[in-house]
Each structure stands twice: as C-alpha cells, then as structure tokens.
Amino acid sequence: MTLEIKGLTKQYNSQKTGLSDYSITIDKGILGLLGPNGAGKSTLMKIIATISKPTKGSVFLDGKDIVSNPDFIRKILGYLPQDFGVYPNLNAYEFLTYIAAMKGVGGKGLRQRIDMLLEGVNLTADAKMPIGTYSGGMKQRIGIAQALLNDPKVLIFDEPTVGLDPEERVRFRQLIAELANDCIIILSSHIVSDIETIADEVAIMQSGKLITKGDQQDIIRQAMGQIYEVVLNHNEVGDFKMRYKVIDTSRQNDRMRVRYINKDTETVPGSTAISATLEDAYLLLTLNNA
Amino acid sequence: MSYILSIVKADYLQRTRSYAFLIALAVTIYVAYLFVPPHHAMYSTLSATGFKGAYNSAWIGYVSALMTTVMLSFYGFLLVNNSIKKDIDTEVGLIIATTPISNFTYLLSKQLSNYLVLCTIVVCTFLVSLVMFYVRGAGYSFILSDFILPYLFFAFPALFVVAALAVVAEVFLGKRNVLQFITYFFLCGIVMSQIATKGNDIPTGFNDPFGLSLVTSSVKNHINTTYHQDIKQLSFGFIFSPQKPFKIFTWNGIDWTGIFIFSRLVWMTFALGLVYFSSFFFHRFDFKQVVRKKKKLMKQFQENQESIISSGGINTASLPPIVTNYSISPFIKTELLLMLRHGNKWVWLLNACLWVAMFLVPYTIAYSYLLPILLFLQVKRWSDLTTKEKTNRLHYFTYASYRPLIRMLPAQILAGILLAIVLSLPLMLRSVFLLNIAAVLNIMNGAVLIVLLATTLGIVSGSSKLYEIFFFLLTYCVLNKLPVTDYLGSMHHGNEHTLTFIILGINIILAATGFLVRSYQTRHL
C-alpha cells in the first residue's frame, strides 16, 4: 500500500498558504510528521483525510486519486483529529456505535469489537458513563478507539498523545507499533520523543514545505558536528542566546549547562561537541530553512 | 472601566462577525421596510378601525421606532441570550473565572455587549425609517427629531432591559433555553396585557417598558377628539385584514413629558439592578450544582476509575471481522436519542401534556394553537440537528465518514421529521377520523418544512440562532393568524392545494440548498 502525494498546494487566501507544492511518498509503516505551528501538518492530514480539498495537486492511494474519489480511502481510514469533540450526552458504547455507522461498520460482531477496543484503551469500566463526564485523557482514548473501529489501512493521528498520562503514552506507542505492520500510519506530534520512539521515517515540514524525509538516522546525521554543550555563568546566558541558537538549558550547581547549535567552524571556548538527537536535528533543520 | 470596554468590544465583535448575525440584520432591514406599508396594502402596523395615519415624519418615525422596539424586544432576546453559554462552550469562562473581574462587572459587560448587538440592529432600522419617509413620500416636511426622539426614548431604553433580562435568564436558567424562552415570553405577555388593559389615563410609562401605551393613547385621543369617535383600542403589529374604507388623519407625535423620560431611566436602573442581583447567584463557571445532581453518578465513576485494570492493549488480529453496513438507521437512532436527551426533562413533561391535550381540546384549538406551540417547544432540538457536529467539534469525523451527504444528512432530516410527526400524531389521527386528509398532508408538509428550515439554516449560517429566531417569528405569526405564514394549513384559504404546493416547493428548495452547501462544507474544512 502506497500513498503518493504530488505537488500539493493549499491556498486559504492570498496571504495564507497551508501547503506549497508538497510532494511525498508514504509506504507501510509509521511516518512521523514534525514541524513548528503553522507548518502545514494538520492541513496535509486533513487533505489525506478528504475533509479539505487541495488548491492544486493530487493524492493517490495505490494509484487511485482520492481527491476526486474520496470514498475510496474513507472506507479504510482511521482519523484522529487534533481538536476533535464528542457528543457529551452519549456514553462510550453509543458514541462508538455511531462512529461505526459513519464508517459503514455493523453486524453482530460490532458490539464485541467495541468491547475489545474499549478494553484496549482502558475504558471498559466507564463505558456506560456519559462522555461529557470524561477527563481529557479519557476522551483522547475514545478518539483512538474510534479510529480503529473499521480495521483501517490508513491511520492519521494528529497530536494523539495530548492529554495522555505517561503510562497511556507508552501504551499508545505500543499499539501503533503493532498496527504499523500492515497499514500506513501518519503521526504528527510536537513531542519529538514520541516520534523518536516509534516512527520508521520522519518528515520535517516548515511553512507548508517538506524540508526533509528519511529514516531517523539519516536525519540525525545532518546535525552531526553542529551540536555543542557549554557550561556558563547565569549572567552570560542571555548574551549567549543572542549569538547562538540554544536548544536546551539546565542548571548545574550554580551554573547553567547550555546545549546549542554552532554552524561555524570556530568553537566557543569550553564547548564540547556532543552527539545529536532527533530533536537537535529538527531544530537545526527548521532554523536553516527559517 | 477600560477592561469592561475591552470585554464588551471583544464580545460584540465575536458575535457580529457571524453569518447568523448578518442574515438576522438583513431580515430586520426587510422587516423594517414593512413597518410602513402603503395605504392600500392588505396589512397595517398601527391603525384604528376606519382610520389610517398620514405618512408624515411623526407617523413614520414613531411607528418605526415602536415596531422596532416591540419586535426586537421579542426576537432580540433569542438573538442575544447565549453570551455566557458561549464562554462555557469555548471554555473561555474558565480563564475569566480565574481573573480578578467581579461577577457584576462580567455580567455587566455581557449585558452591554448584548445591548450593543441590539443597538446595531436598531440603528439599521432607524436608517431604513428615514429612507421610508422618502419612499412613501406624501409631501410632508421632514422633521429629524420625529425620528430621533422615539428611537431614543422607546427603542434604546427598552432594549437595555431586554439585554439585561437575557443575562439574568442565563444566570438563573443556565442552558435551559426553552425554559428561558417560555419565561421571557410569559413575562412579555403579562406586560403587553397590562398595556392593553390600561384605561384612559395618560400613561406614565412605569408599567410599559416599550412606551407603546404613550403613542396608542395619544393617537386614540387624537382620533376621538378630531372625528368625535369612541375608539377604545388601536391595533398594533402586523395586522392583516381585507381592505375597508378609511380616513387619513394627521398625527404630529407626542409631547415628551419629564415623567415619561424619568420612567425610561427607572426601567434602565431596574435592568441594572437585576444584573447586579443576579451577580450574587452567578456560577462563575463552577458548576457545583451539576456535580451535586450527578453525585451518585460521579461516585460510581470514581469507583470505576479506581478499579481500572490495565489491559494488554489491542490485539487487532483477535478483533471480530469487519461486517459492512451502510444503512442509515443507526444514525436515525442516534439522532433521535440525542434529541430525546437534549434539554430539560420538564420540557418533555410539558410536551406530554400538550400532546395529550391535542386529543381532548376542540379540533380547531388543537390545530391553531396547541400544535404550533408544541412544535415550537422543540426549537432547540431541531436547531441543533446540523449544527451540533460543529459545536461539539465532531464534524471532522462526520465529514470524513463514508458518503456523509447521502447518509448523515438524510438521517438527520428524517430523525427531525419523525419527531415532528410523532408530536403531531394526535391531530393527524383526529384529522383522519374527520376525513380531513388535506389537513394530514398539510401537517406533514409543515413538519417537513420546519425541519428542513432547521437543517438548511443551520448548515448555511453555521449557527442555531437564526433558525430559533425565524421559528419564533413564524410561530408568533401563526398564532396571530397571519395567513402567509400558515405552514401547518390551519387557516382557511381560498385554495387549499395552492398552500400545499407552495410549501412543497419551499421544501424542495430548502433541501436542495442544504445538500449543496453541506456538499461544499464536507470538503472545505
């Protein structure tokens, strides 16, 4: 199964561009989307989910254009939007039955399927409570369950771990790692560690454009030799930040340990080069393309 | 003070930058045009039997101002009674609750923004009234004060009270919109009947927030004195009646008394006092009472939370195989469930009483009054049909579902119609027993109309407000026997079939518009 995106442009108005001539090919496995706010991640996901039409370009799923034939993907799509809601007066069973109907899933096995999904997201005990009484994390888990109702072959998760506690985040990662064997999973998150742990490939976006796509090691390699650490006095940090892109700061006794990007050949005295992480590479690449 | 203005400004802009407001404004402008009908028109707005006012500045200015005041006092309430609800829905209220703003200041800012919204509409009708003076041009000289003063002393103070009552209703009745409507219109009914039963004394305005009695009393006295008549009452509102011979009289307005102007200040102070009083009962977005009601539920919920046993995740291989089912019946079932659970259970009790009463009261009463009222009581259920997805941010799922246009939307419409027909059943059964098949068809046609109006106006405007106002006005007109609004076919017309076909035509246009616009929306999020 392959999702092929060619020359996608989404122009909201003369000033606002969501995507600009965006092309990417996505195969089975997990693709992590990284990018600052407004990079176009949600726009891309909405277009793949067929709820937004591109101004230009096309999206092919196994050679079939889903822009002109959205129902082709809808049958096998699982979508968890960033800021979805629920009907607060329905309980989890009723809500999932409703969503199942939207996806065209029914039959005798539906109830059992819902039971198993609810158990999988740890909501069995609260399944008969109105969803309006759920916490943010529980609603998010309902969202994950609904995305899996129709045995999807294309799964789109827009910021799926928002509101989940650490334990649930781990469970979610395990879950999608299992699912990735036979479907395309597109996952966007601001939490780089979520992507780092599970994504087979990473695509970094900025201003509606694709900056890079590849496996994590390829991307990390692009930041090699440019990430440094230095220990500074508190009063030096402000001035230092003016000159270098600081990635992270942490307290070390009475001083500050500063992790920063240095693209110059000249190094700051006292600095040591350290191995880059995906987060470093992401920050470096978005800085280069700013 | 500056932060009150900031809140008022933000709130005002947020509310006026919506299609629903623009459409309401456009409709108001059209209605304002109708305030001054040609003398040969089949309706009048202020008249006495056998007499009509000459279209001088005073007549056009005063009548426009009064009509604006009374009409806007009724439907303006529906337009603005969601300012606190909006803060609850968007959860902005939680942020507001943590700021130093006092309850009174917050409620006052809400009242003022309500007032500004209403004043915007008033200014538009004022401008239309100026235009109407020249459109109906009868050669009289233009006197600006005849336009400004009635608006200043009738419309602006009255709407200040309406704006306050909308806030007070939200504080005390929360999200129970239907109960808010009923209470408000009951109060309005009492005030209007007080005005109507007033004797021949010169009105002071203390029992009349609209100022209506001052004008009607002046016009009545003018006719009685000039033409030696004994007219007891004037008709006011959109009154339809066949053309009869009439005399045209010239009325030059009223002398503004200090006591009347003082009475306006008293009404405005009373409104402020109500807002202040309600501030002691304002929930400040802490819904303790709701928690108390659901105490048992929450206890069970907490127990459940404690007893969660961590499972091993989802084994997709062990899930039952997918069985496809593209029927729309699950949607209809859910839509009915959502409508059933919507709103206060006491409204269902009222529904049940009216439903049973339709079997028992005389047929014409059931048809002309009980059915329109019973249908109007469902206004919130229908107005939510196609707007709730967006309100609850569920449209991402519905628009991405399989064939939403030929499955979801028809299910919503059918569920709405089903509810309307079940509610109309007593009257339909009685009509069948009376062999009045035309009535059955008309009721069904009307049921489809109000549901399609709800779905289409909801889809087009993106808000439930427009339909709520429209349905209110429609019900008001039906109860006042305005033939052109007879969507249930309860009045006698020259040709019964014409009405049926006209409504059928409107239904087709509404359905087509709803489907077309929703088709666009599903692909343009």
Side-chain angles (χ1 to χ4, degrees):
Chain A
M1 181 165 277
T2 306
L3 194 64
E4 218 179 336
I5 292 164
K6 286 183 181 169
L8 218 55
T9 297
K10 178 74 183 180
Q11 190 84 39
Y12 288 105
N13 53 46
S14 56
Q15 269 112 47
K16 196 179 171 198
T17 306
L19 287 174
S20 173
D21 197 20
Y22 190 97
S23 298
I24 193 170
T25 301
I26 307 167
D27 295 310
K28 261 184 199 170
I30 305 171
L31 174 76
L33 281 183
L34 282 175
N37 289 330
K41 302 187 297 290
S42 292
T43 305
L44 175 66
M45 291 180 154
K46 279 181 190 170
I47 291 173
I48 300 172
T50 71
I51 54 174
S52 181
K53 254 187 171 172
T55 315
K56 238 171 38 186
S58 40
V59 183
F60 295 98
L61 178 66
D62 285 343
K64 194 143 191 172
D65 186 358
I66 60 162
V67 174
S68 56
N69 186 9
D71 287 330
F72 181 68
I73 192 171
R74 282 172 179 173
K75 287 182 193 172
I76 52 162
L77 176 72
Y79 176 42
L80 180 68
Q82 191 175 359
D83 58 345
F84 74 97
V86 290
Y87 287 145
N89 289 335
L90 297 184
N91 65 35
Y93 276 113
E94 290 161 345
F95 181 71
L96 289 180
T97 309
Y98 181 63
I99 300 281
M102 282 187 205
K103 294 171 181 248
V105 178
K108 285 180 183 166
L110 178 62
R111 177 70 188 214
Q112 194 193 347
R113 199 175 178 84
I114 291 174
D115 276 334
M116 291 172 81
L117 286 170
L118 285 172
E119 197 185 329
V121 294
N122 259 351
L123 284 173
T124 306
D126 309 301
K128 290 192 173 158
M129 301 291 299
I131 306 178
T133 61
Y134 282 17
S135 67
M138 290 165 87
K139 279 181 194 159
Q140 195 69 7
R141 281 184 271 154
I142 272 282
I144 293 166
Q146 68 75 30
L148 303 176
L149 267 170
N150 55 333
D151 201 6
K153 298 294 170 227
V154 178
L155 265 163
I156 301 172
F157 291 114
D158 199 353
E159 302 285 349
T161 51
V162 170
L164 297 184
D165 63 30
E167 194 188 336
E168 290 299 338
R169 270 172 63 191
V170 172
R171 283 161 54 82
F172 173 74
R173 286 184 208 151
Q174 286 169 354
L175 170 70
I176 70 161
E178 279 171 35
L179 294 168
N181 292 329
D182 61 349
C183 60
I184 293 171
I185 299 178
I186 303 167
L187 169 81
S188 91
S189 179
H190 282 110
I191 304 165
V192 180
S193 63
D194 278 346
I195 302 265
E196 203 165 27
T197 326
I198 47 171
D200 300 313
E201 282 196 306
V202 176
I204 297 177
M205 296 174 67
Q206 192 168 34
S207 309
K209 290 189 170 129
L210 178 68
I211 295 175
T212 187
K213 182 201 167 221
D215 70 38
Q216 293 192 35
Q217 289 313 312
D218 286 343
I219 290 172
I220 291 169
R221 222 167 281 134
Q222 296 179 52
M224 285 296 189
Q226 296 180 66
I227 311 299
Y228 289 85
E229 247 181 26
V230 65
V231 178
L232 300 171
N233 291 324
H234 282 276
N235 56 3
E236 294 169 327
V237 175
D239 186 43
F240 190 82
K241 279 184 175 171
M242 303 284 280
R243 290 184 290 136
Y244 296 96
K245 172 73 180 175
V246 171
I247 297 168
D248 193 19
T249 54
S250 57
R251 291 179 70 90
Q252 189 177 44
N253 300 324
D254 286 342
R255 305 185 77 197
M256 296 295 283
R257 179 178 288 277
V258 178
R259 187 184 181 97
Y260 70 100
I261 296 168
N262 185 4
K263 289 187 267 183
D264 304 333
T265 46
E266 204 176 296
T267 54
V268 179
S271 291
T272 38
I274 52 168
S275 51
T277 62
L278 182 62
E279 189 163 13
D280 298 329
Y282 161 66
L283 289 169
L284 177 73
L285 290 166
T286 49
L287 184 72
N288 287 345
N289 288 278
Chain B
M1 190 63 193
S2 66
Y3 62 78
I4 292 187
L5 290 178
S6 303
I7 297 172
V8 172
K9 186 183 165 194
D11 209 49
Y12 172 75
L13 290 176
Q14 197 272 333
R15 292 157 76 172
T16 50
R17 285 175 183 167
S18 69
Y19 286 123
F21 177 77
L22 285 180
I23 298 170
L25 202 61
V27 171
T28 308
I29 288 170
Y30 176 68
V31 173
Y33 165 79
L34 301 177
F35 288 165
V36 191
H39 282 311
H40 54 79
M42 294 291 282
Y43 73 98
S44 62
T45 44
L46 180 67
S47 64
T49 315
F51 293 91
K52 285 188 179 181
Y55 286 154
N56 58 2
S57 292
W59 188 264
I60 294 180
Y62 280 74
V63 171
S64 294
L66 267 184
M67 287 294 286
T68 302
T69 308
V70 175
M71 299 289 288
L72 206 52
S73 293
F74 277 83
Y75 83 79
F77 177 83
L78 303 183
L79 190 68
V80 296
N81 79 327
N82 64 346
S83 56
I84 299 173
K85 183 179 175 286
K86 203 91 187 162
D87 285 346
I88 297 170
D89 292 344
T90 57
E91 299 192 351
V92 169
L94 295 175
I95 300 168
I96 292 167
T98 60
T99 64
I101 191 168
S102 70
N103 284 358
F104 175 63
T105 313
Y106 171 73
L107 295 180
L108 180 67
S109 67
K110 288 289 164 191
Q111 188 219 353
L112 292 177
S113 76
N114 285 350
Y115 186 51
L116 268 185
V117 169
L118 297 175
C119 287
T120 307
I121 297 174
V122 170
V123 169
C124 290
T125 62
F126 170 76
L127 295 174
V128 173
S129 71
L130 295 181
V131 173
M132 288 312 291
F133 177 78
Y134 292 101
V135 170
R136 297 279 175 253
Y140 292 95
S141 57
F142 175 76
I143 303 164
L144 187 60
S145 63
D146 280 344
F147 290 87
I148 291 177
L149 293 178
Y151 272 93
L152 189 65
F153 295 128
F154 296 148
F156 287 108
L159 296 175
F160 191 80
V161 180
V162 174
L165 286 174
V167 169
V168 173
E170 277 200 271
V171 170
F172 288 107
L173 296 172
K175 285 184 171 182
R176 298 177 193 94
N177 293 59
V178 174
L179 209 57
Q180 285 183 32
F181 298 166
I182 294 170
T183 313
Y184 180 75
F185 295 121
F186 180 69
L187 280 176
C188 284
I190 292 175
V191 171
M192 288 300 274
S193 65
Q194 278 290 312
I195 296 167
T197 54
K198 191 90 178 104
N200 285 326
D201 308 333
I202 295 167
T204 55
F206 287 107
N207 68 338
D208 177 5
F210 312 118
L212 177 63
S213 53
L214 197 73
V215 173
T216 50
S217 151
S218 167
V219 172
K220 189 174 66 183
N221 291 340
H222 176 80
I223 297 172
N224 287 345
T225 316
T226 315
Y227 298 96
H228 309 292
Q229 299 284 317
D230 187 26
I231 290 168
K232 299 274 185 230
Q233 236 176 345
L234 297 184
S235 54
F236 178 75
F238 287 107
I239 310 293
F240 281 72
S241 58
Q243 265 302 355
K244 285 176 192 162
F246 58 87
K247 281 183 189 163
I248 290 187
F249 63 93
T250 307
W251 178 74
N252 291 314
I254 56 175
D255 295 323
W256 298 100
T257 60
I259 191 88
F260 180 78
I261 293 165
F262 178 66
S263 75
R264 302 301 88 189
L265 290 174
V266 169
W267 274 106
M268 291 172 82
T269 313
F270 171 69
L272 276 179
L274 277 180
V275 174
Y276 182 71
F277 175 72
S278 67
S279 68
F280 293 104
F281 301 91
F282 178 49
H283 49 63
R284 206 177 170 88
F285 308 101
D286 175 15
F287 301 99
K288 283 178 208 150
Q289 68 277 24
V290 178
V291 175
R292 209 177 303 129
K293 270 183 197 170
K294 292 181 180 168
K295 205 173 172 182
K296 201 178 156 190
L297 212 60
M298 290 306 289
K299 198 180 165 195
Q300 186 198 339
F301 179 70
Q302 279 156 7
E303 281 166 5
N304 288 343
Q305 286 276 67
E306 285 158 15
S307 66
I308 285 175
I309 301 160
S310 184
S311 68
I314 299 164
N315 182 358
T316 46
S318 64
L319 288 172
I322 293 285
V323 178
T324 50
N325 176 6
Y326 297 121
S327 122
I328 67 167
S329 58
F331 297 128
I332 297 179
K333 195 178 149 195
T334 309
E335 291 294 338
L336 286 171
L337 195 68
L338 287 167
M339 282 196 280
L340 200 71
R341 289 181 187 168
H342 192 289
N344 196 291
K345 61 184 176 204
W346 293 107
V347 176
W348 277 116
L349 186 68
L350 190 60
N351 285 342
C353 293
L354 283 169
W355 198 81
V356 173
M358 281 203 292
F359 279 114
L360 308 172
V361 300
Y363 179 78
T364 46
I365 302 236
Y367 201 172
S368 306
Y369 298 102
L370 296 195
L371 183 60
I373 291 170
L374 180 59
L375 292 178
F376 179 70
L377 286 178
Q378 321 312 317
V379 60
K380 285 300 290 179
R381 294 179 221 286
W382 286 319
S383 70
D384 267 0
L385 270 173
T386 51
T387 55
K388 65 179 180 308
E389 292 149 326
K390 227 163 184 179
T391 317
N392 292 300
R393 299 193 310 280
L394 210 80
H395 55 302
Y396 299 109
F397 298 141
T398 52
Y399 293 1
S401 67
Y402 182 68
R403 298 194 169 173
L405 212 62
I406 57 167
R407 297 170 70 235
M408 287 294 299
L409 188 54
Q412 288 167 332
I413 294 170
L414 285 175
I417 292 172
L418 214 59
L419 176 68
I421 288 178
V422 167
L423 292 171
S424 314
L425 214 54
L427 201 70
M428 286 167 77
L429 288 175
R430 288 181 73 177
S431 302
V432 170
F433 288 130
L434 292 168
L435 296 175
N436 189 355
I437 303 305
V440 177
L441 288 176
N442 282 336
I443 292 168
M444 287 177 74
N445 219 2
V448 175
L449 176 81
I450 49 167
V451 173
L452 285 175
L453 267 172
T455 53
T456 304
L457 289 181
I459 288 169
V460 172
S461 72
S463 155
S464 55
K465 274 284 153 198
L466 191 64
Y467 172 71
E468 287 165 14
I469 293 168
F470 190 88
F471 195 18
F472 164 72
L473 291 174
L474 187 66
T475 308
Y476 171 82
C477 293
V478 168
L479 294 178
N480 283 288
K481 305 268 183 203
L482 187 63
V484 75
T485 59
D486 182 23
Y487 73 97
L488 290 167
S490 62
M491 298 170 218
H492 292 290
H493 302 272
N495 188 344
E496 301 293 333
H497 298 302
T498 311
L499 175 83
T500 311
F501 284 115
I502 287 173
I503 292 180
L504 196 64
I506 296 172
N507 285 345
I508 292 167
I509 292 167
L510 283 172
T513 311
F515 274 90
L516 275 174
V517 178
R518 183 43 60 97
S519 164
Y520 176 84
Q521 289 171 343
T522 52
R523 301 298 307 278
H524 292 86
L525 259 185

